[in-house]
Amino acid sequence: MRLTPINEAEAIIDPLWDPALSGLSQWTLEPGADRGLAMWQNWCWAAFDWARRPASGPALRLSRTFGLGCADYDRLVLSVMAPPGAVLRLIAETDAGQRRVQAPPAGIQKREVTLELAGATRLKSVTIEIDAADDGIAKGWFNWLGLQHSGRLTRKLQAEAETTRDQRWE
């Protein structure tokens, strides 16, 4: 497991967009053949679909063990394109206990779901659950899982905004 910093505030844990780097094979997908659940590595994301909503529980539950230090960050971030109307839960088991967030129903665009780590210094495991909005075929994908430091990100974005305000470059 290698943490890949992408700037002073963010790092990628799992680059699911790249078949050569993706850790998809290390995730455990809860069985769902009875509802047509499938997941596969595509050339630019880890894709999933299902044919029908389950009678109960999430349409998709995906888990992975990490054992990764996260003391330099305060958020876990998942880049996802969930089916419209679907509700996603991001759950982390940490040295400071379980952390979880339920995202509002998905729209029609890719988004980043952010989970506050609240003082955790070690990420033990991550579970992603998606509840289907409708009965019937649905699909989506995961781009990446990463870590973020909110304070450093704010400073980074402020510095970028200040440098782009200089109209002499226009």
Side-chain angles (χ1 to χ4, degrees):
M1 164 63 31
R2 182 179 9 167
L3 191 60
T4 306
I6 57 172
N7 60 47
E8 63 268 25
E10 299 170 296
I12 298 295
I13 297 172
D14 196 344
L16 295 162
W17 73 84
D18 186 327
L21 302 174
S22 173
L24 182 60
S25 65
Q26 297 171 33
W27 289 81
T28 301
L29 179 64
E30 185 176 277
D34 60 325
R35 58 186 178 276
L37 176 63
M39 187 160 193
W40 63 97
Q41 181 68 55
N42 207 326
W43 70 275
C44 61
W45 54 56
F48 61 85
D49 63 15
W50 57 78
R52 63 201 144 274
R53 178 173 42 193
S56 64
L60 178 145
R61 180 178 287 129
L62 188 64
S63 300
R64 181 174 174 187
T65 300
F66 285 100
L68 179 68
C70 61
D72 291 338
Y73 302 92
D74 59 1
R75 293 179 178 161
L76 182 68
V77 184
L78 175 68
S79 174
V80 58
M81 178 66 198
V87 173
L88 182 141
R89 282 178 299 283
L90 184 57
I91 305 158
E93 294 296 335
T94 76
D95 62 319
Q98 187 181 84
R99 306 291 189 249
R100 63 179 5 205
V101 66
Q102 180 169 302
I108 57 170
Q109 294 181 342
K110 179 178 70 168
R111 66 179 170 170
E112 294 179 5
V113 176
T114 304
L115 173 62
E116 298 293 331
L117 293 174
T121 61
R122 196 130 189 93
L123 183 62
K124 295 179 180 180
S125 67
V126 172
T127 299
I128 302 164
E129 296 178 342
I130 301 179
D131 293 334
D134 301 307
D135 193 24
I137 298 170
K139 61 183 175 180
W141 62 83
F142 302 111
N143 296 89
W144 50 265
L145 181 69
L147 291 168
Q148 185 179 81
H149 187 285
S150 58
R152 289 193 307 262
L153 181 61
T154 299
R155 289 190 296 277
K156 175 189 177 311
L157 295 175
Q158 286 172 344
E160 287 175 1
E162 288 172 11
T163 59
T164 59
R165 273 192 229 138
D166 187 346
Q167 297 302 312
R168 293 176 293 174
W169 290 99
E170 299 287 326

